[in-house]
Amino acid sequence: MKVNNASKSTTTDITNSKRSLIKQKTISLGIRLLVSTLLKLTRNRRKKLVQNIGKTILRFANKTRKRAINNIINAMPEFSIKEATDLAFDAYGNCAYGVAESFWLSQIEPDIFCDEETLQILQSGTGACIATMHIGCYEAVPLAVAKFAKQSVTLTNIPDFLADTMDFYSEVNITAINKKSENAFSELVTRAGNNAYISLHCDLYANQTEVTFFGQKTKAPSGVVLLAKLTKKPLLLAYAVYQDDGQVQVFFETLTSDKLAEQNTEQETTQESEQTVEQVMAQIYQRFEQIIRQYPSQWYWSYNRWKNYSS
Amino acid sequence: MSIQQSIIQFIEEKTHSPLIDLTDNLLGTIKSFDFMMLMLELEQKFKLKLPFEQALSTNLRQIDEFICWVELHHES
């Protein structure tokens, strides 16, 4: 009797996994077809179409829309409800396009901006950790890194149905490590040790380090800062935004490096020269806030960013 | 406090469990973020320089192996 039950359950498992595989393949095929259709359009028409699809989705996604509007009003109380609503729709449309562009990264030629020291770090080939954010073209930062360095690595949260289309990263020399994979962390650390340039999005909520963001206390993922400290690599901040003509601009800034540490040591002889994780995160979030205020219609406002966190 | 005590105390705090099996897999017991915090805390507390990439090698998976590895770096 027991044997029969086990055999029944095994058969059900196999059928379920087959069904799930067929579902994944069908969605994957659908996406491939959609992408190849979009690629037949000019970049401008493609942009308008994807933005409109994004705005239409938001119209029907009540919870997401309300959260975006609330987030905008909480962050920038000077905005009226109408202004916040318009911004929520614009931002959602822009972000839809920013995400969609991951499918044709090889067609993007970003303009890159950085100072001399940051350029040296990017060209040195000795690696760095890069704190980035969900603004403008999401994957343009690792894409820009790949123009300088051999090893541009990023962590992704790709849904299963897209896993076999992940070659859009390798096409442009980006190594994408799937967050869900069992060895994701080991692989990330190994690559960091092998002088890779690791770009990690860290503007979402994570129950890690307390930060103040738009005047409100919340928590943030600080893995990128810890990784930089432990691997003794420079820490950069980078973001990619669209210009009015659709051109992508990627900006890199140095947050911590040996050179900066030396300067700080000379200036602060009595204080501890190395910044704590909390201090570096505060610096990152201050810059994130400035960047979002500069490009409010390009940041993804719909995240449950502040959650119900209170210190 | 010794290195062993520090590591065990850290894991106990993170897992909210007073019973730590030292043969357990370290990264299966605490999150990767906490693991990095632990490494940083050990470096600062015991004035160590730990080769981070080595800490994830296959022969350092268990908590007791990790403790020995940190102690070895402390002694040298």
Side-chain angles (χ1 to χ4, degrees), chain A residues 13-129:
Chain A
D13 284 352
I14 293 168
T15 316
N16 282 344
S17 77
K18 262 188 185 171
R19 262 192 212 139
S20 138
L21 193 70
I22 292 167
K23 195 179 161 192
Q24 272 180 34
K25 293 272 175 199
T26 313
I27 299 174
S28 172
L29 187 71
I31 287 174
R32 274 171 195 268
L33 276 171
L34 179 68
V35 170
S36 64
T37 311
L38 285 171
L39 284 172
K40 285 181 185 139
L41 304 173
T42 62
R43 201 154 177 246
N44 260 345
R45 287 194 67 190
R46 204 186 304 161
K47 185 179 177 183
K48 276 192 183 146
L49 181 65
V50 176
Q51 281 176 330
N52 285 332
I53 293 172
K55 287 179 185 179
T56 309
I57 292 171
L58 190 68
R59 210 170 294 281
F60 291 102
N62 284 340
K63 204 174 159 188
T64 312
R65 188 180 64 247
K66 278 180 192 160
R67 187 190 289 150
I69 297 168
N70 280 339
N71 278 343
I72 293 167
I73 288 172
N74 284 333
M76 299 182 291
E78 67 275 17
F79 274 56
S80 68
I81 299 274
K82 174 155 189 339
E83 283 169 331
T85 308
D86 290 346
L87 177 58
F89 276 97
D90 282 346
Y92 204 82
N94 288 333
C95 289
Y97 184 63
V99 174
E101 285 230 292
S102 305
F103 291 101
W104 48 83
L105 283 174
S106 57
Q107 292 193 1
I108 303 171
E109 276 301 326
D111 293 330
I112 299 165
F113 299 86
C114 62
D115 60 27
E116 198 55 42
E117 189 202 349
T118 310
L119 183 66
Q120 276 178 21
I121 292 170
L122 289 167
Q123 288 180 328
S124 67
T126 53
C129 295

Side-chain angles (χ1 to χ4, degrees), chain A residues 197-305:
Chain A
Y197 289 79
I198 316 264
S199 306
L200 297 177
H201 289 92
C202 54
D203 54 337
L204 306 185
Y205 181 91
N207 189 15
Q208 292 178 3
T209 302
E210 193 176 280
V211 291
T212 301
F213 193 36
F214 284 93
Q216 294 163 65
K217 280 204 165 35
T218 180
K219 283 191 166 185
S222 49
V224 71
V225 179
L226 287 165
L227 198 61
K229 275 182 176 286
L230 289 165
T231 54
K232 323 280 186 277
K233 300 285 181 195
L235 178 66
L236 311 182
L237 183 150
Y239 59 99
V241 286
Y242 288 105
Q243 294 308 293
D244 291 340
D245 61 0
Q247 179 61 26
V248 178
Q249 292 189 330
V250 182
F251 296 86
F252 288 93
E253 300 164 13
T254 302
L255 292 169
T256 61
S257 70
D258 289 347
K259 224 177 196 180
L260 275 182
E262 274 170 30
Q263 285 169 8
N264 286 342
T265 317
E266 281 165 22
Q267 283 163 6
E268 307 162 22
T269 45
T270 52
Q271 286 177 353
E272 188 72 45
S273 63
E274 200 179 337
Q275 284 183 300
T276 62
V277 175
E278 288 75 16
Q279 285 170 329
V280 181
M281 285 302 290
Q283 198 185 341
I284 290 174
Y285 265 72
Q286 201 179 13
R287 271 303 284 140
F288 278 179
E289 190 178 319
Q290 287 169 347
I291 296 159
I292 294 164
R293 283 186 191 278
Q294 198 178 348
Y295 304 98
S297 66
Q298 295 196 40
W299 192 59
Y300 189 73
W301 286 98
S302 308
Y303 287 124
N304 194 1
R305 182 60 195 82

Side-chain angles (χ1 to χ4, degrees), chain A residues 185-186 189-190 193 207-209 222-223 226-227 229-232 277-278, chain B residues 27 31-33 35-37 39-40 43-44 49-53 56 61:
Chain A
F185 180 59
S186 306
V189 171
T190 309
N207 189 15
Q208 292 178 3
T209 302
S222 49
L226 287 165
L227 198 61
K229 275 182 176 286
L230 289 165
T231 54
K232 323 280 186 277
V277 175
E278 288 75 16
Chain B
L27 275 177
K31 291 178 190 167
S32 51
F33 167 75
F35 170 69
M36 291 198 282
M37 288 298 279
M39 291 279 291
L40 211 60
E43 283 196 339
Q44 283 163 357
K49 285 242 185 266
L50 297 167
F52 183 45
E53 302 82 51
L56 292 174
R61 284 200 176 151

Side-chain angles (χ1 to χ4, degrees), chain B residues 16-32:
Chain B
H16 307 289
S17 162
L19 296 163
I20 306 294
D21 182 348
L22 295 184
T23 60
D24 277 353
N25 184 320
L26 179 59
L27 275 177
T29 310
I30 56 171
K31 291 178 190 167
S32 51

